Amino acid sequence: MSSTENKKILNTSIEKAFKILDCFSIDKIELGVTEIAKKMGTNKSAVYRMLATMEALNVIQQNPENEKYRLGLKLFELGQKVSINKNFISKARPFMEELVKRAGETAHLAIYKNQKVYFLDKVVGRHDLQINSQIGTEKPLHCTGLGKIMLAFAEHNYKNIIKDLHLENVTKNTITNKKKLISEIENIKSKGFALDIEENEIGLVCVAAPVFNTQGKFIAAISTSGPSARFNKDEIKTYTGDLKHTAEQLKHIFS
């Protein structure tokens, strides 16, 4: 298919509808027409017409009290029909639980989506540390161990991706210099694992590793997270070994 044909396909109302859906998040469950138009960089009349159609299909619902919009029940209905991620999660869960049992710390399974870390699963460690992460939510690439793994192994053109990223200063330890981040990613590519040392949350350290399928293609990333007091150099070495072992087990699930 030619690039011209691809462009024609992308310039459809379907693409615009999905852009509207992407405007919503867990933090912003309701949005007005003006807010959506601003996020999409388009005019309000175009957004209003799209919302009217989506509302008729129950993809979008309007709150009569404030006239703002939220995601509709049709999406929940469709979501129940999507089994592939659930299938991956259910198959991966025993290995993630085994990882937590060995490490004692909270483990995450995530995929690379829209240049963000997207959490597929979370298994809480025995220490029951409160970590600011939820299944189905996203995190930035530059300040998370999982994200840095994704930059290193999911993106061949990671340097160009980094140049376009907004490196928000989440904590005092967050890497906000793009040259420094590129150097960090190059180091991760050689080591095979990534560290987030209080870069996303103060007091929290994360060790992350890539998961490849049997063909060597990057599929997901896994991590172990816990308080900085328990993550000394010796422990990090142990956690890294545990992660690589789990990644090897998961290889066949994702093939």
Side-chain angles (χ1 to χ4, degrees), residues 2 11 24 28 36 68 83 114 120 129 133 158 161 170 179-180 186 195 206 217 219 221 224 227 237 244 246 253:
S2 69
N11 288 336
F24 295 89
K28 274 284 187 181
I36 295 171
K68 289 190 175 185
S83 61
N114 299 329
L120 282 184
L129 178 71
S133 61
Y158 64 91
I161 297 296
V170 182
K179 287 185 179 179
K180 185 176 179 181
E186 289 172 348
L195 290 175
C206 170
K217 179 183 176 183
I219 298 297
T224 295
K237 187 176 180 180
K244 289 183 176 180
T246 302
I253 291 175

Side-chain angles (χ1 to χ4, degrees), residues 22-211:
D22 278 337
C23 289
F24 295 89
S25 67
I26 289 177
D27 296 325
K28 274 284 187 181
I29 62 172
E30 288 191 342
L31 294 168
V33 177
T34 302
E35 293 174 283
I36 295 171
K38 186 176 180 181
K39 283 176 174 286
M40 292 179 63
T42 188
N43 60 76
K44 293 198 304 185
S45 59
V47 170
Y48 183 79
R49 288 195 299 271
M50 289 295 300
L51 287 170
T53 302
M54 295 168 77
E55 186 181 8
L57 296 171
N58 203 23
V59 175
I60 290 286
Q61 293 176 327
Q62 188 177 37
N63 184 338
E65 293 182 4
N66 57 20
E67 297 187 341
K68 289 190 175 185
Y69 293 86
R70 62 166 60 207
L71 300 178
L73 291 176
K74 185 66 176 178
L75 293 173
F76 177 78
E77 178 188 331
L78 292 172
Q80 301 308 299
K81 298 178 183 178
V82 181
S83 61
I84 186 165
N85 277 350
K86 288 182 180 179
N87 189 37
F88 282 160
I89 293 167
S90 64
K91 287 184 177 180
R93 175 52 84 113
F95 300 108
M96 298 296 290
E97 289 175 343
E98 184 185 332
L99 172 63
V100 169
K101 188 176 181 180
R102 288 199 306 271
E105 308 291 354
T106 296
H108 290 96
L109 172 67
I111 57 172
Y112 182 62
K113 180 181 177 183
N114 299 329
Q115 295 183 6
K116 291 283 184 70
V117 175
Y118 183 85
F119 290 103
L120 282 184
D121 200 10
K122 174 181 180 178
V123 182
V124 178
R126 60 174 174 263
H127 300 293
D128 196 25
L129 178 71
Q130 295 299 312
I131 298 176
N132 183 23
S133 61
Q134 292 180 340
I135 297 170
T137 61
E138 299 174 338
K139 287 279 187 180
L141 297 171
H142 71 289
C143 61
T144 57
L146 291 165
K148 287 190 277 188
I149 281 292
M150 291 170 186
L151 281 170
F153 298 102
E155 281 288 1
H156 295 297
N157 298 319
Y158 64 91
K159 291 181 181 179
N160 289 333
I161 297 296
I162 290 172
K163 286 176 183 177
D164 292 334
L165 285 178
H166 169 59
L167 306 186
E168 181 185 354
N169 190 18
V170 182
T171 75
K172 63 181 181 180
N173 300 308
T174 305
I175 299 175
T176 55
N177 180 283
K178 294 187 177 183
K179 287 185 179 179
K180 185 176 179 181
L181 182 58
I182 288 172
S183 177
E184 171 102 344
I185 299 307
E186 289 172 348
N187 191 30
I188 289 166
K189 287 175 76 70
S190 65
K191 292 189 303 183
F193 69 92
L195 290 175
D196 153 19
I197 303 178
E198 301 184 270
E199 295 167 48
N200 187 55
E201 289 185 47
I202 292 296
L204 186 71
V205 173
C206 170
V207 186
V211 177

